[in-house]
Amino acid sequence: MYAKIQLKKLLQAAISKLGLSWPEKANIEPPRDLKFGDLACNVAMMLSKEAGKNPRQLAQEIKEILSNLESPLEKIEIAGPGFLNFTFKKFYWLEIINTIAEQKDRYGASTFGKGAKVQIEYVSANPTGPLHIGHGRGAAVGDSLTRIMRFAGYDVSTEYYLNDAGIQMNILGESTWIRYQNLCGVKASLEEHHYQGEYLIETARQVFEEHGRALLDMDLDHGISICRKMAMDVILNGIKEDLNLFRVEHQHWFSELSLIQKDKVSYTLEWLQDKDLAYEKDDALWFKSTDFGDDKDRVLKKSDGSLTYFASDIAYHQNKFDRGFELAVDIWGADHHGYVPRMKAAVQALGKTENSLQVILVQLVNLQREGHQIAMSTRAGKFVTLKDVIQEVGIDACRFIFLSRKSDSHLDFDLEVVKRKTMDNPVYYVQYAHARICSLFAKAQEMGITPPTDDTLVLNGLDTPEDIELLKKLHDFPETVSSSATNLSPHYISFYLMDLAGCLHKYYTVHSVLKAESSELIQARMTLFQAVARVIRNGLNLLGVYAPEKM
């Protein structure tokens, strides 16, 4: 059992004997200074008022109860105003090696999510152009979160919401139509609001190859509609290819247009009116979002009869919950932050709790080369595609850097820095730790040293501060996974891996492995390194990143 969980159970048993219950604000964390032990807890201070006792007095009573229980604790000390500091016996940390050897690629997995049905919707970029690097960050976050939540016991379904209806698609059709006319020798110019990218020239060429000049003789709207459909199909196929290349999964592709064609939006609006959650004013239909904490009511249908995106989004989320999802996770660009309160309001109007919808905001990426910003504009057609970046720096580097910071924080992505094979590069730092262990085992084989097997694990001699530091870090992995899933934060895994790699690299500077004082110690340290390599592989897999054996 992992340290924090086991200690919490022991403390709960102790305070129960005192007629007390675990307080919500109690926490168990490693002390800032390791000389105070392995873990510290403030439970005595949190319960002193309820118990009617001085915190140190209560801490003493808890200590006495714990001292009489069978446990892996070696030492319990009281510090400061009433902190309880705990030191575990060495064997407790060593046991994790056997656990990792038994569980292998499932080490860190759990039933924490209890099979809860979760839908994660991400990327969902308008099919109006190739994916750019900003879309790539959202793709990496969504796909990694899917891997993590499944590993933590959730039943996760992935989805791409296809915005194939509305004004942007009409503009795409018009932009392609103009490019098609140019190919037919007809003078026509793109206006400022049209998509300027040269990728539409190739799309228009495909229209010409299939239809020749026939579209010029058609009704204008019909000709544009053909251009719109072909442009969307070509672009969407490109998006799917790029996401597949980037190791990103989408099980379902949901069409916004299907909601409209099946009258699902109209049904939802009528349902809101029947529940007195929508009203007519100034020839428009409004949603009573202020009833659910939004700062103002929102338009569902405009005075000209056209639907807002919000109307379709409510119908779409109704569809999600109708499919039985207990939690809907939407991953949006940070520029949509103002949209969150109204969608939270809509979800509550649909009879769900506010927390049934969780929105992860992803900041745009500042793409740079040697510190100089690369300007990007999708509408103007001036951007570096995700595929371009992948081809230049590689999938592993791209995904890891995207996941190396909290998703709603700004990210500077310098193409030249990411390609460097130095310890300043976080993806190299972590992958090199794994490759370093593989290299050590290859060298051991050359030296005739037989590596330990699951049946011959040797642990004697793993008692230095660096050994214990690595063992503790290995203990932390399962909790890191569950915390990452609970907080919808894939960057917890990348942070953890950088810490684990740091401990490994530090170990190398302090201790010799293959030239240790005895054959038994060599085997013990190789056993430890086997476990570290396994956890690095498991963690990198959750990020969708490979663990190389050579670098």
Side-chain angles (χ1 to χ4, degrees):
M1 189 180 293
Y2 308 114
K4 286 186 183 180
I5 298 173
Q6 184 154 5
L7 180 57
K8 184 176 180 179
K9 287 190 174 185
L10 288 168
L11 285 166
Q12 285 175 321
I15 63 176
S16 178
K17 287 191 175 185
L18 296 171
L20 301 168
S21 300
W22 185 262
E24 186 178 337
K25 293 185 178 180
N27 58 61
I28 300 172
E29 298 292 343
R32 292 181 181 178
D33 191 332
L34 293 179
K35 72 180 181 182
F36 293 118
D38 299 318
L39 291 172
C41 184
N42 63 349
V43 67
M45 291 182 288
M46 294 296 101
L47 288 175
S48 63
K49 186 175 180 181
E50 181 182 344
K53 297 175 182 176
N54 177 282
R56 285 187 65 92
Q57 179 189 350
L58 181 58
Q60 181 61 40
E61 292 180 12
I62 293 172
K63 176 183 176 180
E64 289 173 2
I65 293 172
L66 290 175
S67 298
N68 292 318
L69 296 177
E70 185 176 339
S71 78
L73 296 174
E74 181 176 276
K75 185 166 58 174
I76 305 171
E77 295 179 314
I78 300 169
F83 281 103
L84 282 158
N85 293 333
F86 303 92
T87 301
F88 285 79
K89 297 171 184 175
K90 186 186 75 171
F91 83 85
Y92 178 79
W93 300 117
L94 289 171
E95 283 180 341
I96 202 65
I97 300 290
N98 292 311
T99 301
I100 295 170
E102 290 168 5
Q103 297 181 2
K104 298 182 171 60
D105 62 356
R106 295 298 296 169
Y107 177 67
S110 69
T111 58
F112 182 82
K114 299 179 181 178
K117 287 194 68 176
V118 178
Q119 189 223 51
I120 304 180
E121 181 229 321
Y122 53 104
V123 185
S124 299
N126 290 340
T128 54
L131 296 178
H132 56 61
I133 192 169
H135 297 134
R137 189 180 188 187
V141 170
D143 186 72
S144 181
L145 181 60
T146 297
R147 295 166 185 252
I148 292 164
M149 294 190 77
R150 285 174 178 164
F151 207 58
Y154 293 85
D155 180 6
V156 182
S157 178
T158 55
E159 190 153 295
Y160 187 116
Y161 182 55
L162 187 59
N163 298 104
D164 52 359
I167 192 170
Q168 298 305 322
M169 298 310 299
N170 292 334
I171 293 173
L172 175 67
E174 292 172 5
S175 305
T176 308
W177 166 252
I178 292 169
R179 296 291 196 182
Y180 167 79
Q181 286 179 294
N182 294 159
L183 289 175
C184 292
V186 177
K187 288 186 177 181
S189 300
L190 294 168
E191 297 181 15
E192 187 177 347
H193 70 284
H194 287 134
Y195 290 100
Q196 312 287 324
E198 292 189 2
Y199 59 89
L200 287 182
I201 296 176
E202 179 57 34
T203 303
R205 185 171 287 110
Q206 293 185 46
V207 176
F208 182 79
E209 289 174 358
E210 184 169 330
H211 297 278
R213 299 173 59 86
L215 270 61
L216 298 177
D217 299 324
M218 294 180 183
D219 174 77
L220 178 62
D221 289 342
H222 185 44
I224 291 176
S225 69
I226 291 174
C227 288
R228 179 175 62 241
K229 185 178 186 309
M230 182 165 285
M232 189 192 79
D233 289 346
V234 170
I235 291 169
L236 186 57
N237 286 336
I239 288 173
K240 289 181 177 181
E241 288 174 4
D242 290 351
L243 290 173
N244 183 59
L245 173 68
F246 201 41
R247 306 176 193 146
V248 171
E249 169 206 277
H250 283 100
Q251 294 171 305
H252 306 285
W253 296 74
F254 192 98
S255 164
E256 178 189 5
L257 189 59
S258 71
L259 288 172
I260 297 170
Q261 291 174 337
K262 295 177 182 178
D263 291 327
K264 295 297 184 182
V265 181
S266 297
Y267 171 82
T268 300
L269 299 189
E270 290 173 6
W271 186 88
L272 290 172
Q273 286 179 286
D274 290 343
K275 297 293 183 181
D276 194 30
L277 294 171
Y279 61 93
E280 292 184 358
K281 177 185 174 184
D282 299 331
D283 296 323
L285 184 65
W286 298 73
F287 169 56
K288 292 183 177 179
S289 51
T290 51
D291 286 0
F292 302 96
D294 197 6
D295 59 350
K296 62 181 179 180
D297 290 345
R298 306 291 177 174
V299 177
L300 298 169
K301 185 186 289 185
K302 300 176 186 177
S303 57
D304 63 4
S306 62
L307 296 169
T308 61
Y309 285 117
F310 185 42
S312 296
D313 285 341
I314 297 176
Y316 176 44
H317 284 77
Q318 176 69 72
N319 178 277
K320 292 185 181 189
F321 294 120
D322 286 346
R323 282 185 272 163
F325 294 113
E326 300 167 55
L327 171 65
V329 180
D330 291 359
I331 299 179
W332 299 345
D335 56 332
H336 288 77
H337 67 92
Y339 204 72
V340 176
R342 74 186 72 172
M343 277 313 306
K344 289 271 193 179
V347 165
Q348 292 175 78
L350 295 173
K352 302 297 178 180
T353 65
E354 181 182 4
N355 291 329
S356 296
L357 170 66
Q358 294 295 326
V359 178
I360 299 174
L361 296 176
V362 179
Q363 280 285 358
L364 289 175
V365 180
N366 298 317
L367 189 61
Q368 300 175 340
R369 190 180 294 280
E370 294 289 9
H372 299 290
Q373 183 129 1
I374 300 173
M376 294 191 293
S377 169
T378 306
R379 182 65 58 83
K382 297 177 181 177
F383 58 89
V384 178
T385 67
L386 173 62
K387 189 173 183 178
D388 290 336
V389 175
I390 290 172
Q391 289 175 339
E392 181 166 349
V393 306
I395 298 169
D396 289 339
C398 201
R399 286 190 64 125
F400 195 96
I401 295 300
F402 284 152
L403 298 166
S404 64
R405 298 192 66 182
K406 191 177 178 183
S407 62
D408 62 357
S409 62
H410 289 280
L411 177 65
D412 291 330
F413 191 112
D414 194 306
L415 294 166
E416 297 304 321
V417 172
V418 173
K419 289 189 290 185
R420 289 177 191 153
K421 294 183 177 181
T422 66
M423 299 298 251
D424 304 349
N425 183 344
V427 64
Y428 180 84
Y429 188 73
V430 173
Q431 287 186 315
Y432 181 60
H434 183 268
R436 198 171 197 177
I437 294 172
C438 293
S439 176
L440 180 139
F441 274 76
K443 188 174 182 180
Q445 188 174 17
E446 292 175 5
M447 296 169 63
I449 299 174
T450 304
T453 66
D454 293 347
D455 297 326
T456 62
L457 296 181
V458 179
L459 305 178
N460 293 337
L462 298 178
D463 52 10
T464 70
E466 292 74 31
D467 288 311
I468 302 303
E469 184 180 26
L470 268 177
L471 291 166
K472 285 182 182 180
K473 187 55 66 175
L474 295 176
H475 258 271
D476 289 344
F477 184 59
E479 183 187 358
T480 302
V481 174
S482 59
S483 294
S484 181
T486 302
N487 295 288
L488 309 179
S489 299
H491 69 279
Y492 286 10
I493 304 296
S494 57
F495 283 14
Y496 169 85
L497 289 173
M498 286 187 276
D499 286 345
L500 179 59
C503 293
L504 187 281
H505 293 313
K506 174 184 173 184
Y507 196 101
Y508 260 101
T509 65
V510 177
H511 300 290
S512 173
V513 178
L514 300 182
K515 294 182 179 180
E517 303 89 89
S518 67
S519 58
E520 186 177 58
L521 187 55
I522 290 173
Q523 288 289 302
R525 289 177 177 173
M526 289 179 71
T527 294
L528 175 61
F529 276 32
Q530 273 185 332
V532 173
R534 169 62 68 184
V535 174
I536 291 175
R537 287 197 297 276
N538 289 2
L540 285 175
N541 185 57
L542 294 179
L543 301 181
V545 176
Y546 290 156
E549 295 186 4
K550 294 181 180 180
M551 292 189 74

